[in-house]
Every structure is written in C-alpha cells, then in structure tokens.
Amino acid sequence: EDNRSESSRSGSGLGGGSSNKSDARDLFELASSEVLRIIASPNSYKASPTCKKGHALVYQPVEQDRGTVCSNQGCRRDCMPDGHAYHCHTCKYRLCTSCWEASSTTIDTDRRNYLIVSKICEGDAERFYTIAAAAIPKQDSNDSAQRIVRVLHRVLLKSRETRKFRRKLREVSLSSPKPGQLQAGEKVPALLLDLLSAWLFCPISALGLSLWLHWFDVSAEITDRLLRSEKTPTTHELLSELVELLESPIFMQMRHQLLDAQRHPELLRAMLQLSTLMPQETKLRARLELVQCSLMLERAGKW
C-alpha cells in the first residue's frame, strides 16, 4: 500500500512537472507577444527625468528672487528664457533643459526595443524568433512589421544574447542547400526560410540577413529591387547602417569571399549594386577597390 501511495505521489509529481513546463511555454509565448506588440508601436519612449542620484526632477518655474541661472557652472546665464528648469528638491539644485538633456540617461525608443528583445532572448532566442517569424506577416500594417524586423535584425546580428542562436543558424545555412541552387528533392530549412520571408517586409534587413547567411543569389535579387524602388531618408539611414555593419567582425567570412569574386559573382553583383545605391560610402568603395586589385592580380598570374 505504501508503495502504491508513493507511486501515486510520484506520478502526480511527474504530471505536475509536465504541467509546469506547459505553463512556462504559455508564459513565454505571452511574453513574446507582448514584446512584439511593444516594438511594433510607433510611440516614442521617454524615461521619467531623474538627477544623477536617481531623484525625480520636477519641471517648474524658477523663483524670481533666485534668478535664472542653473546649477551647472558652465552654463549660459540666459539658459532659461521661459523661466522654467528641472528642480531636484532633494539635492537642492536645478538644471535648464539643455543641461539636463546633456546629462540625462533617458533611453530612446530604438535602444529600449533593443534591450527588451535582448532580454527575452536570454531565455530562448530560437523560440522567440520562431514566434516572431510567424507573427510578423500578421501585423496590422507594413509599418508595424518593418519596425519589428528592424529591431529583431539588429539584435540577431549584434547581441551577445543571440550568439548561440546565430551560431546554429550559420551552421544550418552553410550545411544546407541555398535558395536558387536547389536540386530535385532538396529543401531550404524551414526556420531560415521563415525568417527570410518575414525579413522581406524590410528589404534592407533582408539584404543584411541574406549576406550573412551567404545566400548571395537572394542578396543580388534584393539589391536589384532596391535600385528600382523609391529612395527615402529612412532607406538611406538603413543602408548606411548596413554598410557599417558589413565592416564588423560578424561579416568577416563574407568579406573574404568577396575577394574571391570569380567564385562568388552574385556577391560581387550585390555589392556593386549596393555601391550604386550608396555612392558616397567611402568604406564600400575601398572594399570594392580591393576586389578589383584581387581580380587584376589573379589575371596577371595567368599570363
């Protein structure tokens, strides 16, 4: 009887453990959905103003008998034309708007979004990105989908919390058939394809992802489309960020392959078209000049 009772308790414990795991999965999905909702929002984020010691600052008029000079000794005497300042009643000092903005630790929207996505990726980056890839096409607008993709792209390629997931994606990509080069019966891994499909809501992020995955046929096709599309200030900003990222260590293998342009003509084509899109980028031009020198040396060696 004691054995049966113990077995019953053990079985109950196993069932509870399974239930706990299910609850944890449900909570993670809810948290992921909330993170995606937050970063899809166009609303800007402003932290509550505080002094360097963390006390709340109150924006209020300066008393006339105290003048209009803020506590920053290097500030101009006419720094409070509207007669208001940020007051810390605990530390007994005040700052004008310019001095407070220069010393504040407020977090802008992009930085906030980067931090919260990095934080949830500490738990399970692969699962979060799987959930996100399925949710992005279901957004109410293309703008919301683009905002999500841009944040997730930065975190994927830059954050230390996604390092393990990056390594897995790279290994799967290099050992699997690539889009545009499939033989009969071959398939692109589902997760990679889902990510690329979602990333296409922001073509420049999709270009960065395809270059990193060494899907150079896809990269060349995306740059073709970008050349034919309308240029906006946002497009220019994202392309500048991409060009900067291409010089980082994470794209080292791609840069080495670019030097072997004869074996990777689609990569060269993509980079030439990117240079056409960003003619003022000196780093990109210098990179292509190295490729030109490499090709000339290779031809000279054959003579």
Side-chain angles (χ1 to χ4, degrees):
E1 183 178 353
D2 290 342
N3 290 338
R4 287 196 301 271
S5 177
E6 184 177 349
S7 175
S8 175
R9 288 195 299 269
S10 176
S12 175
L14 288 173
S18 177
S19 175
N20 289 339
K21 289 180 180 179
S22 177
D23 291 344
R25 285 194 295 268
D26 292 342
L27 286 173
F28 188 87
E29 290 182 4
L30 286 172
S32 299
S33 299
E34 180 63 14
V35 166
L36 295 173
R37 184 193 67 79
I38 290 171
I39 63 179
S41 172
N43 297 329
S44 60
Y45 175 80
K46 292 292 184 183
S48 299
T50 60
C51 73
K52 291 182 179 179
K53 293 185 178 180
H55 305 134
L57 293 177
V58 181
Y59 191 67
Q60 63 184 42
V62 178
E63 297 178 14
Q64 292 298 322
D65 59 344
R66 289 188 170 185
T68 59
V69 182
C70 82
S71 299
N72 179 9
Q73 294 182 355
C75 188
R76 305 186 316 274
R77 294 187 62 84
D78 59 346
C79 61
M80 301 178 191
D82 61 350
H84 286 66
Y86 287 96
H87 294 253
C88 178
H89 296 293
T90 304
C91 298
K92 307 299 182 183
Y93 78 91
R94 59 184 181 273
L95 292 176
C96 66
T97 301
S98 298
C99 290
W100 173 73
E101 289 179 348
S103 62
S104 69
T105 56
T106 54
I107 303 175
D108 63 19
T109 305
D110 289 343
R111 182 61 179 163
R112 175 207 62 170
N113 291 341
Y114 183 94
L115 290 173
I116 62 174
V117 172
S118 295
K119 189 64 178 177
I120 198 169
C121 285
E122 286 183 355
D124 191 337
E126 180 175 352
R127 189 146 169 259
F128 174 72
Y129 274 82
T130 301
I131 293 171
I136 288 168
K138 300 176 183 178
Q139 295 300 305
D140 295 335
S141 66
N142 285 345
D143 288 343
S144 295
Q146 287 174 3
R147 278 190 288 271
I148 294 175
V149 169
R150 289 167 188 166
V151 176
L152 267 58
H153 181 67
R154 293 185 184 108
V155 174
L156 176 63
L157 296 186
K158 295 182 178 181
S159 175
R160 65 179 179 84
E161 286 79 9
T162 56
R163 188 181 303 162
K164 183 178 178 181
F165 182 46
R166 278 200 304 271
R167 189 181 302 117
K168 180 177 180 179
L169 288 179
R170 171 59 64 81
E171 290 172 355
V172 171
S173 172
L174 295 180
S175 62
S176 304
K178 296 175 172 54
Q181 302 176 12
L182 298 177
Q183 303 297 324
E186 291 183 334
K187 292 183 179 180
V188 177
L191 178 56
L192 296 181
L193 202 56
D194 290 345
L195 284 176
L196 180 65
S197 298
W199 261 227
L200 285 171
F201 280 92
C202 177
I204 299 171
S205 296
L207 174 59
L209 180 65
S210 63
L211 287 171
W212 180 70
L213 292 174
H214 294 186
W215 289 359
F216 301 137
D217 292 45
V218 175
S219 304
E221 180 62 29
I222 293 173
T223 51
D224 275 340
R225 295 184 182 183
L226 287 172
L227 282 171
R228 297 193 297 267
S229 63
E230 181 183 359
K231 309 300 182 297
T232 66
T234 300
T235 301
H236 185 274
E237 178 183 349
L238 292 174
L239 284 171
S240 295
E241 183 179 341
L242 173 60
V243 171
E244 191 72 25
L245 190 60
L246 292 178
E247 294 297 319
S248 68
I250 197 171
F251 280 94
M252 184 181 297
Q253 285 189 342
M254 186 218 73
R255 295 196 300 271
H256 287 167
Q257 290 183 325
L258 182 60
L259 293 174
D260 192 6
Q262 289 192 343
R263 291 184 57 193
H264 304 285
E266 293 304 312
L267 172 57
L268 178 58
R269 176 182 155 207
M271 298 303 288
L272 287 170
Q273 291 176 150
L274 182 57
S275 179
T276 302
L277 287 164
M278 301 292 288
Q280 76 283 1
E281 285 290 345
T282 56
K283 291 182 180 179
L284 187 55
R285 289 206 310 271
R287 181 67 54 187
L288 290 172
E289 287 173 1
L290 284 175
V291 176
Q292 185 179 15
C293 291
S294 177
L295 289 172
M296 291 174 64
L297 289 172
E298 189 171 344
R299 288 182 180 179
K302 294 179 180 179
W303 290 347

